[in-house]
Amino acid sequence: MTTDAPGSVTDWVSTGHLPGEEAVRELVAEAHRRFSPVQDCEVARYIPALAAANPGHFGLCVASTGGLLFEAGESTQPFSIQSLSKPFLFALLCQAIGEDVARARLGVNSTGLPFNSVLAVERSGEGLSNPMVNAGAIAATSLVPGDTAEAKWHFIEEGFSRFAGRQLQVDQAVYASEIASNRRNLGIATLLEEQQRIWFDPDAATDLYTRQCALSVTARDLALMAATLANGGCQPCSGERVIEPLICQHVLAVMVTAGLYETSGDWLYDTGLPGKSGVSGGMITVCPGKGGLATYSPPLDESGNSVRGQLTARFLSERLGLNLFASRPLAPF
Ligand code: GLU
C-alpha cells in the first residue's frame, strides 16, 4: 500500500457535500418550526444592553462552501457578535504573527471552566489559557499587529469584514453598555499583566476586545463567516482567501476544545462538530468542507449558550449528516 507524503494539507482534507438543496431548505425550515416554541430559559442580563433582546427572535442560516444560503426566521436581525468573535480573531492573529507564536503565547488547551474564569488563568501553567475564553481572547487582542489601539482596531475591523464579505460596524449602544460594566474583564487583563501574558496596555486591550465583541452581525453574516472556516479560509461569496487552510484547520481544533466553555464536551458529544457560542444568543457550527450553520436566539442556558441554537445544531448535524465522528462499517455485517 502506498501513502501520500505527509505534510500536504490539501491531500488530507475532509470532503463530501451537503444533501441536495431542497432537502437542506426543508430541514432548515423544519428546525425553525420545531424549536421556535422552546421557551424555558432567559436572555443574558450581565451586560445591560443585552437584557433588552427579544427572547422570541430565532433566526438560522446554513451557508454552503459553494456560497448557497438556506435561511429561516430572523436571519437578518442584527445582534452583537460577542464571543463568536474569538475564533475569527484567533484566525486573523495566527495568519498575521504565525500560529506557533500564537500558540506558545496563548495556549490552546481546554480550560473546563466558565468563559470569564479568573481561576483558569491562575490554575493553568504559566498563565496560558485558550483563545476561545476571555483571558485568551484578551491576550490575543493584545498581540494584534499595530503600535496603537487605532491601528489594532483597523486590523480587527477589516479582518472580520473580510470573513463576513461586507463591512461590519460596531453597535455603539452595546459597546458603551459593556464598557460601563466590564470590571471582571479588566481584572482578568490585570492578572494577565502580572503573569506577563499580555502584550499591550491591559486596559486598552480590554477596550479593543470589548469593541470587537460589539461588532454587529446577523445569522446570515455568521453563517458565511463559519463557511469560510469550513472552506479552507476562502470566503464562499467573495472568493477572497482570508486565512490559510492549515490555520483554518487549527482554529477549528481550538474551537473544539473550548468553543462552548465548560460544556464543550457535551456539545461535541451531541454534534460532533466545532462550534462557538456567544452571550447575545449567537452560535456557529462548522462542518469542514461542507458549510457553516449560524443561529440567533437570545435565551441562554446556565453556561451562556443559546438553547435553541444548541437544539438546532444537534438536529441539523444529525439530519444533514455532518457529525465528523459518524461512520459505518465498510462491509455489511
Ligand atoms: N463580551 C462578553 C464578555 O466578555 C463575551 C462573552 C460571551 O459571549 O460569552 O463578557
Side-chain angles (χ1 to χ4, degrees):
M1 188 176 77
T2 58
T3 54
D4 294 329
S8 160
V9 281
T10 51
D11 293 338
W12 298 85
V13 295
S14 159
T15 56
H17 302 281
L18 291 171
E21 285 180 44
E22 202 41 50
V24 181
R25 196 165 291 115
E26 269 172 29
L27 283 168
V28 164
E30 163 73 14
H32 190 264
R33 264 195 310 275
R34 206 177 253 246
F35 303 121
S36 286
V38 174
Q39 271 174 1
D40 55 351
C41 34
E42 291 212 358
V43 307
R45 305 215 170 271
Y46 79 102
I47 300 172
L50 298 186
N54 181 341
H57 276 164
F58 179 29
L60 63 137
C61 180
V62 169
S64 74
T65 47
L68 293 175
L69 298 178
F70 305 90
E71 302 175 75
E74 282 88 14
S75 60
T76 57
Q77 169 69 34
F79 59 97
S80 56
I81 191 168
Q82 297 300 337
S83 263
L84 298 162
S85 62
K86 288 168 175 146
F88 301 103
L89 182 84
F90 181 54
L92 293 165
L93 181 69
C94 289
Q95 183 76 34
I97 70 170
E99 51 180 334
D100 292 345
V101 178
R103 181 181 184 174
R105 293 192 169 190
L106 302 171
V108 294
N109 274 315
S110 168
T111 68
L113 289 164
F115 71 94
N116 58 354
S117 173
V118 174
L119 182 64
V121 185
E122 288 191 295
R123 201 178 66 170
S124 67
E126 301 167 332
L128 289 174
S129 173
N130 178 301
M132 298 305 120
V133 300
N134 289 17
I138 295 168
T141 306
S142 79
L143 282 170
V144 161
D147 293 336
T148 63
E150 274 324 297
K152 285 184 190 293
W153 176 248
H154 177 74
F155 174 94
I156 294 168
E157 191 182 35
E158 195 260 342
F160 276 63
S161 299
R162 286 196 294 137
F163 267 114
R166 74 174 181 98
Q167 182 63 43
L168 299 178
Q169 312 277 347
V170 169
D171 180 327
Q172 295 295 343
V174 170
Y175 171 55
S177 176
E178 189 167 357
I179 281 292
S181 56
N182 213 14
R183 304 224 63 82
R184 192 173 182 98
N185 284 336
L186 285 167
I188 288 173
T190 306
L191 186 58
L192 287 169
E193 184 184 34
E194 197 182 287
Q195 296 184 326
Q196 297 171 342
R197 283 280 162 204
I198 196 159
W199 291 269
F200 196 56
D201 174 73
D203 289 3
T206 308
D207 180 85
L208 283 167
Y209 162 77
T210 308
R211 217 188 308 176
Q212 106 205 352
C213 285
L215 277 168
S216 183
V217 290
T218 65
R220 184 189 289 171
D221 290 327
L222 285 170
L224 281 166
M225 294 171 83
T228 305
L229 292 178
N231 194 34
C234 265
Q235 219 277 2
C237 291
S238 70
E240 189 178 355
R241 167 161 301 294
V242 186
I243 53 166
E244 294 301 318
L246 190 58
I247 289 177
C248 205
Q249 178 180 318
H250 290 155
V251 169
L252 295 181
V254 179
M255 280 170 72
V256 165
T257 64
L260 271 81
Y261 312 125
E262 68 274 31
T263 57
S264 296
D266 285 319
W267 165 266
L268 194 58
Y269 189 100
D270 288 337
T271 65
L273 292 165
K276 186 77 198 83
S277 65
V279 287
S280 49
M283 183 166 270
I284 56 170
T285 311
V286 180
C287 185
K290 294 184 181 172
L293 160 69
T295 50
Y296 171 58
S297 170
L300 309 176
D301 68 12
E302 283 172 1
S303 303
N305 302 313
S306 168
V307 173
R308 289 193 194 103
Q310 291 174 87
L311 291 167
T312 303
R314 182 176 181 168
F315 174 79
L316 288 180
S317 172
E318 280 170 13
R319 299 299 179 90
L320 294 173
L322 306 181
N323 191 316
L324 295 175
F325 304 123
S327 64
R328 291 216 168 82
L330 185 57
F333 292 104

